[in-house]
Amino acid sequence: MSARKAPCCVDPACNTGFTLVEMLVVLALLSLIVLAMASALRSTAQLEERADERLQRTDEMRTVNRFLHAVLGRISARKTSAPVPEGASPYFFAGAPGSISWVGVMPAQFGAGGRYHFRLGVEQSPGQQPALVLRFAPWTDAASAPDWSQTQSHALLEPVSAFSIQYEDASADPPQWLPAWNNPKRLPERVLITLQTPAGDWPPIVIALRVLPATDPQRSGPVFGGSV
């Protein structure tokens, strides 16, 4: 007896394979899903990068702000022993729109403590970018300020797009903010520092200039920040 052949199924429901059209539809859907996942991952990475940039910027602001308050917030009212022209300031303090120099105390946590000459301004960094630079030299009781080109320097912020300083004259009514300090009889009460970087504007930094009595035992003059 010869074996019978199984009859061919002519019912479409008996076909278990996929047609070419169905495969193309599935591939198109998979491509859309992969594109959506890639876009979501890229967006997440960009958000993390922006968050890291914001955190870094906030950390820079906090560090620079704390350092400037510690160094510029305590100044000396000592006067130079050298003759000064009539109308010129006898103090070791010079306030210009784009720089400020003074005698103050270096906090011990930032290096060797003690009295120093300081100068804050914008200079070109070795990378040829404008940077906020603090120059400093130990106090030697000299009659004049040091040669700033020969002093130590530290870049506080880089790069810097704009930088300016204003000085508060509390003797005026109401108190005025001046672009430069030319008063030979007194020091400003506060300074206002404005900074701008390529990432945006910084919040204004306002620092009260407090003269420590122990810093200048022989000084005389007005009261600054409550000290006598």
Side-chain angles (χ1 to χ4, degrees):
M1 180 183 292
S2 60
R4 292 183 178 180
K5 291 184 179 180
C8 293
C9 182
V10 296
D11 188 356
C14 296
N15 297 326
T16 58
F18 296 99
T19 65
L20 179 60
V21 173
E22 292 173 333
M23 291 294 294
L24 292 176
V25 170
V26 171
L27 291 176
L29 292 175
L30 287 176
S31 299
L32 293 176
I33 294 174
V34 171
L35 287 175
M37 292 179 62
S39 178
L41 291 174
R42 183 167 57 252
S43 299
T44 302
Q46 291 174 349
L47 288 175
E48 291 180 353
E49 184 178 353
R50 286 195 291 268
D52 290 341
E53 290 176 353
R54 285 195 295 268
L55 289 174
Q56 182 179 359
R57 186 185 179 199
T58 302
D59 186 60
E60 284 181 343
M61 290 181 182
R62 186 183 301 111
T63 301
V64 172
N65 200 319
R66 182 169 64 91
F67 182 81
L68 290 178
H69 273 84
V71 176
L72 184 54
R74 304 192 299 172
I75 67 172
S76 168
R78 183 178 292 275
K79 299 178 181 181
T80 176
S81 58
V84 296
E86 184 178 356
S89 175
Y91 296 102
F92 282 101
F93 181 91
S99 66
I100 179 174
S101 59
W102 72 99
V103 173
V105 176
M106 177 76 79
Q109 66 265 32
F110 296 118
R115 191 179 304 178
Y116 277 76
H117 288 276
F118 294 100
R119 183 183 184 278
L120 182 69
V122 173
E123 302 178 14
Q124 290 294 120
S125 67
Q128 298 303 313
Q129 293 192 97
L132 182 62
V133 175
L134 178 73
R135 289 193 171 271
F136 52 95
W139 167 263
T140 59
D141 203 16
S144 60
D147 180 1
W148 293 114
S149 64
Q150 303 300 318
T151 58
Q152 300 182 67
S153 64
H154 177 67
L156 301 179
L157 182 64
E158 180 183 0
V160 174
S161 302
F163 170 73
S164 64
I165 310 177
Q166 291 181 311
Y167 308 86
E168 184 187 45
D169 183 3
S171 64
D173 188 19
Q176 297 179 353
W177 288 100
L178 306 175
W181 188 256
N182 300 313
N183 194 323
K185 297 182 179 180
R186 56 182 288 118
L187 298 177
E189 289 287 332
R190 297 185 298 171
V191 295
L192 170 63
I193 298 176
T194 304
L195 274 168
Q196 182 181 2
T197 67
D201 296 344
W202 280 35
I205 301 174
V206 180
I207 303 175
L209 304 183
R210 305 181 186 277
V211 176
L212 300 180
T215 305
D216 304 287
Q218 300 177 353
R219 72 177 176 88
S220 61
V223 175
F224 297 98
S227 62
V228 180

